[in-house]
Amino acid sequence: MDAGTTIMERPAAAGGAGGAGGGAVAGEVRDWESRLRELDDRIGVLSAQIHALDAELVGVLAEYDAVGGWQGRGWRSFAHYLSVRTNFAPRDAERLVSIAARVDEMPSLIAAARGGQVSMGVLASAARVVTPENEERVLDVVRACTPRQAQRVL
């Protein structure tokens, strides 16, 4: 694959016509599988970093809201401020603001998100139902389920 190629092509299956070049094809397959593992690992790392940064942002938003940083400046709502200030889509800003409003009620969930283990979508579902009394149970659900299952259960 030349340096200008950006789309990874799957190598031809080994054992083609007469088996000629089978060693080269097997090498290509190993290289392809190795590259897939590298990409898969990178996807996991980047996703965890995004989850951690989102959780950090939620914490800052909670503090900014607590001191009224957005109020009295012509914003219709905190979500409106956030959308304009950060270029988040309004729906995404509303989700972040709703999570930030509940951050004190779910410290274990926020810690899991800061550790890269929980996405904002799952955290938003958890924020709708979490209380200080049930937070550990909600965290257990989040950890035991796929994101889709957790959102359905919560």
Side-chain angles (χ1 to χ4, degrees):
M1 190 177 298
D2 66 51
T5 302
T6 57
I7 298 176
M8 195 171 81
E9 292 184 27
R10 185 178 192 157
V25 171
E28 288 178 23
V29 169
R30 278 191 303 276
D31 290 347
W32 181 74
E33 288 173 350
S34 175
R35 183 63 181 149
L36 285 179
R37 281 190 301 277
E38 289 171 8
L39 291 171
D40 181 67
D41 289 346
R42 190 72 180 136
I43 288 166
V45 167
L46 290 171
S47 297
Q49 290 172 340
I50 289 168
H51 300 333
L53 287 171
D54 281 343
E56 182 67 22
L57 176 59
V58 164
V60 172
L61 292 173
E63 185 176 349
Y64 194 68
D65 190 28
V67 299
W70 64 274
Q71 296 176 355
R73 298 182 180 191
W75 305 110
R76 292 189 307 263
S77 66
F78 190 17
H80 177 236
Y81 155 79
L82 184 61
S83 178
V84 172
R85 172 66 178 91
T86 62
N87 209 27
F88 277 111
R91 184 174 178 174
D92 294 334
E94 288 169 8
R95 180 171 64 176
L96 288 166
V97 166
S98 72
I99 296 167
R102 308 283 308 271
V103 76
D104 290 337
E105 299 173 35
M106 50 185 191
S108 298
L109 285 158
I110 295 294
R114 282 193 172 135
Q117 301 166 342
V118 180
S119 71
M120 285 299 106
V122 172
L123 203 56
S125 295
R128 287 193 289 272
V129 299
V130 73
T131 65
E133 294 77 26
N134 74 2
E135 186 200 12
E136 288 305 316
R137 286 190 307 256
V138 171
L139 181 58
D140 289 342
V141 167
V142 166
R143 286 187 170 149
C145 296
T146 66
R148 183 181 195 114
Q149 291 168 336
Q151 288 179 319
R152 200 173 22 225
V153 169
L154 299 172

